[in-house]
Amino acid sequence: MSTIGLIGSGHIGSQLARLAVERGYDVVLSNSRGPETLQDLVAELGEHARAATPEEAGAAGDIVVVTVPLHAYRDVPVAPLAGKVVIDTNNYYPARDGHIAELDDESTTTSELLQTHLPESRVVKAFNHIRAAELTTDGAPAGTSARRALVIAGDDPEARATVAALIDELGFDVVDLGPLAEGWRIQRDTPGYVKRVGADELRAFLASAKRYRDM
């Protein structure tokens, strides 16, 4: 893996791009407004970064990060992402996204919605429960005491392992929740959401999480 494609280059996408470039990856950035709006960020990141359309970023990435507002998930290109590991950073904010019935009744999760939209991709939920700025400030080398942990969830074990290895390289321990359906345990307003904690404490938070209907 040498290239990370980003569909969405806002707060989370730009910070992940910075981390990736620092560690020797190439990044291909995209957003909904066009490559020309990303030139300042590309200039900052240097020769390992370029701007493109979402379709081009999807095609170029060995791993593709989808980090767009949830209400726009149906705009994510499908064909370029077929067969690829796709990281989903999304959270559901009804005030921003409008009400989505299957999320309101908790019959599915945000990342399962994206997986349904991308049936031939291998979606892994990650980076949804850390503030964007902390991505570039809270990382630490493996083995560091009290290293911050981040959660992953995904239906494909190989894809989860790939994303876990990336997260470790970027400076964080990993707690593996298993299938996408378990991703609700780290959605907004759950105990572990945006908490700076290590793996053991994060596991305890995940175990104590409750569905919205039970809060």
Side-chain angles (χ1 to χ4, degrees), residues 5-6 29-30 35 61 67 78 101 104 107-108 114-115 153 181 194:
L6 292 121
L29 301 140
S30 69
T67 182
V78 176
D104 287 339
S107 60
T108 192
L114 184 63
Q115 181 66 82
V194 301

Side-chain angles (χ1 to χ4, degrees), residues 58-140:
D62 299 306
I63 286 181
V64 180
V65 180
V66 172
T67 182
V68 298
L70 181 62
H71 63 78
Y73 81 90
R74 292 185 182 87
D75 296 331
V76 174
V78 176
L81 276 57
K84 297 191 176 186
V85 175
V86 174
I87 295 174
D88 174 40
T89 76
N90 256 318
N91 290 300
Y92 175 41
Y93 298 104
R96 177 196 66 185
D97 299 312
H99 282 279
I100 299 172
E102 55 265 54
L103 296 180
D104 287 339
D105 67 20
E106 299 185 275
S107 60
T108 192
T109 64
T110 57
S111 294
E112 287 176 292
L113 283 180
L114 184 63
Q115 181 66 82
T116 299
H117 177 67
L118 302 173
E120 296 182 37
S121 302
R122 297 178 289 163
V123 173
V124 177
K125 184 181 189 70
F127 301 116
N128 75 298
H129 64 102
I130 180 171
R131 293 182 177 90
E134 295 167 2
L135 285 164
T136 50
T137 60
D138 283 15

Side-chain angles (χ1 to χ4, degrees), residues 13-212:
S14 60
Q15 291 292 76
L16 288 174
R18 291 181 178 100
L19 279 176
V21 166
E22 285 176 3
R23 285 153 180 80
Y25 290 94
D26 293 324
V27 296
V28 182
L29 301 140
S30 69
N31 63 16
S32 62
R33 295 177 294 131
E36 65 280 359
T37 66
L38 293 167
Q39 293 311 308
D40 288 347
L41 180 58
V42 168
E44 174 200 332
L45 294 172
E47 63 183 358
H48 289 285
R50 65 182 176 92
T53 66
E55 290 79 5
E56 291 165 342
D62 299 306
I63 286 181
V64 180
V65 180
V66 172
T67 182
V68 298
L70 181 62
H71 63 78
Y73 81 90
R74 292 185 182 87
D75 296 331
V76 174
V78 176
L81 276 57
K84 297 191 176 186
V85 175
V86 174
I87 295 174
D88 174 40
T89 76
N90 256 318
N91 290 300
Y92 175 41
Y93 298 104
R96 177 196 66 185
D97 299 312
H99 282 279
I100 299 172
E102 55 265 54
L103 296 180
D104 287 339
D105 67 20
E106 299 185 275
S107 60
T108 192
T109 64
T110 57
S111 294
E112 287 176 292
L113 283 180
L114 184 63
Q115 181 66 82
T116 299
H117 177 67
L118 302 173
E120 296 182 37
S121 302
R122 297 178 289 163
V123 173
V124 177
K125 184 181 189 70
F127 301 116
N128 75 298
H129 64 102
I130 180 171
R131 293 182 177 90
E134 295 167 2
L135 285 164
T136 50
T137 60
D138 283 15
T144 300
S145 177
R147 192 187 196 206
R148 185 170 181 172
L150 298 178
V151 168
I152 61 171
D155 293 338
D156 184 291
E158 183 180 352
R160 294 204 310 271
T162 296
V163 175
L166 175 64
I167 290 173
D168 178 61
E169 187 176 0
L170 296 181
F172 301 90
D173 283 347
V174 177
V175 174
D176 188 342
L177 264 177
L180 286 177
E182 286 295 292
W184 68 269
R185 292 183 178 276
I186 198 64
Q187 63 194 4
R188 60 172 172 78
D189 300 327
T190 54
Y193 188 67
V194 301
K195 296 292 196 308
R196 282 190 175 101
V197 294
D200 289 343
E201 192 171 357
L202 184 53
R203 290 188 188 97
F205 281 144
L206 295 168
S208 68
K210 294 181 180 181
R211 299 276 192 177
Y212 294 136

